[in-house]
Amino acid sequence: MQVWAVANQKGGVGKTTTVVTLAGLLAEVGYKVLLVDLDPHGSLTSYFRYDPDELEHSVYDLFEQLQVEPERTRGLILDTNREGVDLMPASTALATLERRAVGKEGMGLQVAKALATQKQSYDFALIDSPPVLGVLMVNALAACNHLLVPVQTEFLALKGLQRMIRTIEMVNRARRNKLEYTIVPTFYDRRTQASVSSLRELHRLYEENISSAVVPIDTKFRNASLKGLVPSSLDAGSRGVHAYAKLLRNLLERRRQGKVDG
């Protein structure tokens, strides 16, 4: 099973949209996909019309005891309205996890352990991470084969990206295998100088890691969210879906060439 995490230490950059859109496109070509919501805000969970305030069981359960049991993990997984896509939801209880994790050993590997128990059931797992460096993001980074970093094409987002790059460097000092990452420019508007200059700066600073697929501002993403549908189900021909389809082709090609572990 390939595990891709989507993370950035800045909110509002398109993390959940990236997860949902890629999941829909993977399912369209026959892959079985598990989504994992590690954000206490539960945007991914809410997207598929589950209420993080009301769920009795969620990914939080993985942290209640260090022993991860396959059946218990399977019991956390919910159906979505997209065939081929399942969800391990978040609950608002995740917001208390940082405080409870203080001083506990092994808390950074719980998600990796849980996904290992499900590797025969899914081809891909996509993790939606919180925009804060803590035990939840550490779990996402420890579990993944490849990291996607959506970055809004505007100046302040570029400053936030620097923090994320430092985090990746820190993680790589602790990992046996280097964590490869792809920067995904989002919310691009070619009509504005701010977007154009920000994209140019991203290429200047991170040429080796930036995706050639640039995700434009696209109201179809909002429309899909309002209906709880993966964007390709609502409008497969939209500009945003085309951008993510290009990103996915590139990622799958890297995987075929062995440049993405797993």
Side-chain angles (χ1 to χ4, degrees):
M1 178 172 63
Q2 267 297 288
V3 182
W4 296 344
V6 180
N8 194 327
Q9 286 169 247
K10 183 182 184 303
V13 296
K15 293 191 300 296
T16 300
T17 297
T18 298
V19 169
V20 169
T21 309
L22 289 177
L25 291 168
L26 284 165
E28 281 184 6
V29 292
Y31 290 113
K32 191 90 167 83
V33 184
L34 176 62
L35 304 182
V36 182
D37 192 354
L38 291 185
D39 191 339
H41 291 107
S43 296
L44 180 59
T45 300
S46 298
Y47 193 104
F48 290 105
R49 302 305 185 258
Y50 291 104
D51 188 343
D53 293 318
E54 301 294 334
L55 289 171
E56 184 178 355
H57 297 288
S58 73
V59 71
Y60 177 81
D61 294 24
L62 298 177
F63 299 92
E64 291 191 309
Q65 56 188 43
L66 292 181
Q67 183 67 33
V68 175
E69 300 171 358
E71 288 305 314
R72 190 178 186 199
T73 300
R74 182 68 206 173
L76 303 178
I77 298 172
L78 303 173
D79 295 331
T80 73
N81 56 20
R82 180 64 175 90
E83 185 178 354
V85 179
D86 291 341
L87 171 69
M88 193 180 295
S91 67
T92 50
L94 282 174
T96 69
L97 190 60
E98 296 296 334
R99 183 175 68 251
R100 295 186 68 249
V102 173
K104 289 188 177 181
E105 295 289 332
M107 292 286 275
L109 297 174
Q110 292 302 93
V111 172
K113 292 176 185 176
L115 292 179
T117 71
Q118 304 301 312
K119 63 183 180 181
Q120 301 303 320
S121 300
Y122 297 95
D123 302 298
F124 287 86
L126 303 184
I127 304 174
D128 195 4
S129 307
V132 177
L133 178 58
V135 68
L136 290 166
M137 185 180 286
V138 166
N139 267 270
L141 299 181
C144 71
N145 309 110
H146 196 80
L147 176 65
L148 301 176
V149 186
V151 180
Q152 190 171 355
T153 48
E154 56 107 43
F155 177 72
L156 291 178
L158 300 190
K159 302 298 288 186
L161 176 60
Q162 294 174 6
R163 292 193 297 274
M164 192 67 221
I165 297 300
R166 286 195 293 270
T167 296
I168 295 169
E169 292 171 348
M170 176 188 71
V171 167
N172 277 336
R173 287 195 289 270
R175 281 178 63 117
R176 185 167 49 193
N177 299 318
K178 182 180 177 182
L179 176 57
E180 301 293 339
Y181 67 93
T182 299
I183 296 168
V184 184
T186 59
F187 293 96
Y188 182 68
D189 186 349
R190 63 182 181 182
R191 299 168 300 179
T192 69
Q193 184 58 38
S195 267
V196 172
S197 60
S198 295
L199 182 61
R200 187 183 303 121
E201 186 70 356
L202 280 171
H203 276 282
R204 186 183 72 82
L205 295 172
Y206 307 106
E207 185 62 40
E208 291 185 4
N209 296 96
I210 191 168
S211 170
S212 60
V214 179
V215 181
I217 292 175
D218 191 341
T219 57
K220 298 296 176 61
F221 290 136
R222 187 183 304 116
N223 295 342
S225 177
L226 288 171
K227 295 178 181 293
L229 299 173
V230 297
S232 55
S233 292
L234 181 72
D235 187 351
S238 72
R239 294 181 303 135
V241 169
H242 272 296
Y244 278 112
K246 180 180 180 181
L247 171 64
L248 182 58
R249 286 194 300 272
N250 293 343
L251 290 171
L252 293 177
E253 178 62 19
R254 285 174 60 88
R255 182 189 183 212
R256 190 185 67 79
Q257 295 176 358
K259 295 179 181 180
V260 176
D261 294 338

